[in-house]
């Protein structure tokens, strides 16, 4: 079966990193990205400072919304986009910047088109592929230039788009899912806040190292990632040689679709596979444990290149915002709907939130 994804690859051979074929060009580009992301601060204190800088804009947005019911969608997309922009371009963009608005809209649009019903029709009926139907928009959103060598202007452009997309839609949708659950499980929210208050007492701000002293918060963030299931079918790959698996022969070049949804909900791997329950990541002593089946970033040589950055963002955003605000499901919002909108990334259905300043916080300068 030739899938829409594969057609994406066929249109953009060797371009970027996410959809690049496994081979020397991908290896070269992955090494290049990791080296540069490290040089520009991924995994270092300077990255924490950039993340905290961006969180301050989120805090300002929330402070202006105190007591009102508002939609947090753009707020989290913009924040995640700006963090990766600071690595890629050395600057952040105002949330009203037109280029940024267009880019983020293209990302969210493509994340839905690429696994949506039009992509399935594209896969099933080759005759319709050249027709001006909605799937054409996805190709238009990522049109490359002409130069296609491993290090070229077109490659660099696509690379930046890949990192920007991969670093925006994933983290923001995880945060959106997280706050949807935290509002609807107030006892979980409060227990996080107690732990945060205790561990950060007298400190200006959280740092990644505080994770080690916050087993409950760690468990909650991991449980959020498990239920958010942000990249349900990971990224499609091909077998590079003929392979045997559980008695099945898989020829070289077969399209492989990893099913992360299955592993994140697998009966027998989780204490509570079908409910939101941080106990999935706590042992009897209340210590944080990470089961093997936790793989929202996938596994193997192609696993997420931004895991370290994503984990830092999820921790610092969750802790800083929960320390300062109480998140409330608005009275007139009706029953929460946890069913996600399907795409390459899962997105919670649009929802509204309310915030209150917390009174019990002991934060010197925030
Ligand atoms: C919660 C946030 C995130 C999740 C759940 C996530 C998940 C994933 C998954 C499942 C893959 C596919 C791995 C595979 O093909 O086996 C992937 C690939 C990738 N991710 Fe992430 N990701 C996140 C954040 C980020 C961030 C912040 C960046 C930015 C630096 C990033 C950059 C990438 C890149 C470049 C790839 C392609 C790697 C390759 O093919 O070699 N991701 N991610």
């Amino acid at each position: 079966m030739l899938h829409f994804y594969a057609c994406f690859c066929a249109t953009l051979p060797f371009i970027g990193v996410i959809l690049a074929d496994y081979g020397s060009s991908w290896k070269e580009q992955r090494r290049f990205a990791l080296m540069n992301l490290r040089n520009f601060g991924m995994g270092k204190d300077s990255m924490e400072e950039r993340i905290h800088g961006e969180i301050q804009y989120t805090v300002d947005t929330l402070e202006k919304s105190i007591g009102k019911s508002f939609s947090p969608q753009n707020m989290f997309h913009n924040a995640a986009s700006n963090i990766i922009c600071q690595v890629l371009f050395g600057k952040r963009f105002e949330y009203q910047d037109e280029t940024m608005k267009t880019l983020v809209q293209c990302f969210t649009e493509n994340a839905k088109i690429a696994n949506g019903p039009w992509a399935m029709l594209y896969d099933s009926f080759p005759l319709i592929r050249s027709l001006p139907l909605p799937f054409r928009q996805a190709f238009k959103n990522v049109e490359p230039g002409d130069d296609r060598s491993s290090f070229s202007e077109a490659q660099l452009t696509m690379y930046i788009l890949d990192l920007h997309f991969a670093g925006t839609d994933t983290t923001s949708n995880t945060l959106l899912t997280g706050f949807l659950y935290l509002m609807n499980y107030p006892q979980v929210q409060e227990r996080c806040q107690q732990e945060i208050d205790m561990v950060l007492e007298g400190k200006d701000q959280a740092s990644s190292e505080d994770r080690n002293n916050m087993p409950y918060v760690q468990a909650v963030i991991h449980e959020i990632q498990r239920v958010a299931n942000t990249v349900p079918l990971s990224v499609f790959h091909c077998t590079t040689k003929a392979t045997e698996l559980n008695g099945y022969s898989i020829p070289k070049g077969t399209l492989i679709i990893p099913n992360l949804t299955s592993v994140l909900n697998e009966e027998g791997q989780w204490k509570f596979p079908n409910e939101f329950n941080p106990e999935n990541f706590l042992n009897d002593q209340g210590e944080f444990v990470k089961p093997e089946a936790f793989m929202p970033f996938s596994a193997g040589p192609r696993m997420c290149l931004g895991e370290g950055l994503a984990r830092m963002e999820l921790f610092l955003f969750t802790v800083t915002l929960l320390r300062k605000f109480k998140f409330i499901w608005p009275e007139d919002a009706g029953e929460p709907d946890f069913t996600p909108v399907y795409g390459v990334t899962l997105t919670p259905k649009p929802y509204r939130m309310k915030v209150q300043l917390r009174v019990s916080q002991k934060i010197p300068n925030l």
Side-chain angles (χ1 to χ4, degrees):
M1 182 187 73
L2 189 60
H3 189 272
F4 191 77
Y5 252 30
C7 296
F8 244 20
C9 300
T11 324
L12 314 165
F14 311 121
I15 293 272
V17 62
I18 303 179
L19 298 180
D21 275 348
Y22 185 82
S24 55
S25 173
W26 163 76
K27 279 190 192 151
E28 195 171 49
Q29 292 302 329
R30 179 151 173 136
R31 220 177 300 125
F32 174 73
L34 279 170
M35 185 184 77
N36 281 298
L37 288 175
R38 254 182 239 124
N39 288 347
F40 286 99
M42 192 161 93
K44 290 197 198 139
D45 293 352
S46 58
M47 197 67 223
E48 280 200 11
E49 279 316 310
R50 286 190 203 130
I51 297 174
H52 272 298
E54 194 57 41
I55 292 177
Q56 201 46 56
Y57 288 91
T58 310
V59 167
D60 291 347
T61 310
L62 288 172
E63 275 179 338
K64 286 190 195 123
S65 312
I66 283 175
K68 297 178 216 154
S69 152
F70 67 97
S71 162
Q73 260 74 10
N74 289 342
M75 181 178 79
F76 285 127
H77 285 315
N78 288 333
S81 161
N82 256 334
I83 288 167
I84 189 73
C85 277
Q86 288 180 60
V87 179
L88 296 173
F89 310 120
K91 61 177 271 197
R92 67 178 298 282
F93 294 82
E94 288 307 318
Y95 293 160
Q96 294 315 316
D97 185 281
E98 285 305 321
T99 313
M100 204 39 52
K101 279 206 289 202
T102 311
L103 267 177
V104 173
Q105 194 200 325
C106 284
F107 295 155
T108 42
E109 201 169 271
N110 272 20
K112 291 291 161 279
I113 299 174
N115 267 5
W118 282 107
M120 285 175 200
L121 288 173
Y122 183 100
D123 289 341
S124 311
F125 304 105
L127 279 176
I128 67 168
R129 287 183 188 167
S130 52
L131 297 179
L133 292 167
F135 46 67
R136 299 242 56 92
Q137 184 62 30
F139 293 103
K140 226 170 129 207
N141 284 344
V142 293
E143 249 161 30
D146 287 338
D147 184 356
R148 293 182 170 199
S149 72
S150 176
F151 284 99
S152 66
E153 196 136 344
Q155 164 67 21
L156 189 62
T157 312
M158 197 58 207
Y159 215 122
I160 289 171
L161 275 171
D162 265 6
L163 287 173
H164 194 177
F165 165 67
T168 299
D169 210 50
T170 47
T171 313
S172 54
N173 281 320
T174 310
L175 284 168
L176 276 168
T177 307
F179 282 92
L180 172 65
Y181 277 91
L182 287 166
M183 281 189 292
N184 287 290
Y185 288 77
Q187 70 290 5
V188 173
Q189 186 181 156
E190 272 160 37
R191 203 169 144 192
C192 285
Q193 283 160 332
Q194 281 162 14
E195 191 176 71
I196 294 167
D197 287 348
M198 198 179 71
V199 175
L200 297 186
E201 190 174 350
K203 283 195 193 175
D204 275 1
Q205 59 184 37
S207 90
S208 300
E209 276 146 33
D210 294 316
R211 281 189 271 213
N212 304 329
N213 300 319
M214 295 191 192
Y216 189 74
V217 170
Q218 276 279 74
V220 170
I221 294 175
H222 282 73
E223 181 65 353
I224 286 170
Q225 280 209 267
R226 190 184 73 82
V227 295
N229 182 20
T230 304
V231 194
L233 299 180
S234 188
V235 172
F236 301 175
H237 292 297
C238 276
T239 41
T240 50
K241 54 180 188 210
T243 310
E244 283 272 328
L245 185 70
N246 288 348
Y248 291 94
S249 305
I250 306 172
K252 179 178 174 181
T254 307
L255 181 73
I256 304 291
I257 306 178
N259 187 347
L260 298 184
T261 308
S262 149
V263 76
L264 292 173
N265 295 286
E266 182 76 21
E267 304 272 345
Q269 295 289 333
W270 302 98
K271 287 187 261 181
F272 305 98
N274 301 315
E275 58 184 82
F276 175 74
N277 192 334
E279 292 296 324
N280 278 318
F281 292 90
L282 293 169
N283 66 14
D284 293 342
Q285 286 73 47
E287 292 157 346
F288 172 70
V289 280
K290 186 155 70 172
E292 241 185 346
F294 179 76
M295 46 176 78
F297 298 101
S298 191
R302 293 300 290 254
M303 84 178 282
C304 178
L305 181 151
E307 177 182 357
L309 175 61
R311 285 172 13 98
M312 193 186 264
E313 288 183 50
L314 294 178
F315 180 74
L316 295 179
F317 264 88
T318 309
V319 166
T320 312
L321 297 184
L322 284 183
R323 191 185 193 195
K324 187 154 178 88
F325 300 102
K326 178 177 177 181
F327 290 82
I328 304 159
W329 185 247
E331 316 80 59
D332 56 357
E335 280 299 302
D337 184 353
F338 296 105
T339 325
V341 182
Y342 195 71
V344 176
T345 49
L346 295 189
T347 314
K349 292 220 175 95
Y351 66 80
R352 300 181 78 76
M353 62 164 50
K354 261 177 121 171
V355 286
Q356 266 175 15
L357 267 184
R358 289 184 63 228
V359 277
S360 63
Q361 51 180 342
K362 297 170 186 152
I363 314 171
N365 297 323
L366 203 77

